[in-house]
């Protein structure tokens, strides 16, 4: 995953020469906007995954201090997800939210 991001950044450095985003074509004929959205989708997916794993870590934490730190991190994660969802809606990409909603719809129903 990291290597592909580095390759994309190198490609941008080597080929981007004051062209507008709409005319720049990256790997696999992607525009900068598409590459940016792809990165945000990865971030969104990872943040949604944390909504499942952090409560488990809180439950299994050995100390109150760790539990409180994880609870704080969970709140930051929820805030970040909300900002990403607001952004996707503002640019007309609500389908990204719906795409991942089905993966996490049962999260509240699990014991």
């Amino acid at each position: 995953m990291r290597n592909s991001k580095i390759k994309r950044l190198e490609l941008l450095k080597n080929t981007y020469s004051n062209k507008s985003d709409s005319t720049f074509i990256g790997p696999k004929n992607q525009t900068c906007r598409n590459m940016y959205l792809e990165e945000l989708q990865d971030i969104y997916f990872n943040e949604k995954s944390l909504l499942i794993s952090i409560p488990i870590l809180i439950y299994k934490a050995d100390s109150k201090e760790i539990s409180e730190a994880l609870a704080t991190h969970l709140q930051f994660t929820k805030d970040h997800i909300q900002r990403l969802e607001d952004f996707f809606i503002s640019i007309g990409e609500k389908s990204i939210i719906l795409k991942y909603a089905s993966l996490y719809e049962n999260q509240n129903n699990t014991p």
Side-chain angles (χ1 to χ4, degrees):
M1 178 82 166
R2 182 163 169 75
N3 288 338
S4 65
K5 289 180 182 180
I6 291 171
K7 287 178 185 176
R8 282 187 250 165
L9 288 174
E10 288 174 359
L11 178 69
L12 286 173
K13 284 181 192 176
N14 294 334
T15 59
Y16 191 76
S17 60
N18 294 327
K19 296 179 181 179
S20 71
D21 287 350
S22 61
T23 59
F24 172 75
I25 304 297
K28 299 180 185 174
N29 295 326
Q30 289 184 325
T31 63
C32 283
R33 181 182 192 277
N34 291 344
M35 289 170 40
Y36 183 64
L37 279 176
E38 184 179 298
E39 293 297 322
L40 287 177
Q41 285 177 15
D42 288 345
I43 292 168
Y44 183 68
F45 177 76
N46 291 327
E47 293 288 337
K48 292 289 271 189
S49 297
L50 286 173
L51 284 181
I52 295 170
S53 60
I54 291 175
I56 295 169
L57 293 173
I58 291 171
Y59 177 75
K60 293 186 176 197
D62 290 336
S63 71
K64 184 177 180 183
E65 186 177 278
I66 293 174
S67 290
E68 290 172 355
L70 287 168
T72 301
H73 184 63
L74 180 61
Q75 186 56 50
F76 284 132
T77 300
K78 289 177 181 178
D79 294 343
H80 193 205
I81 288 170
Q82 186 59 51
R83 284 193 307 271
L84 284 167
E85 288 176 349
D86 292 344
F87 176 75
F88 289 138
I89 291 169
S90 73
I91 63 168
E93 294 288 343
K94 188 174 181 176
S95 62
I96 293 170
I97 299 168
L98 299 174
K99 175 181 173 183
Y100 291 111
S102 63
L103 294 173
Y104 300 100
E105 67 186 12
N106 292 328
Q107 136 190 356
N108 295 328
N109 300 332
T110 57

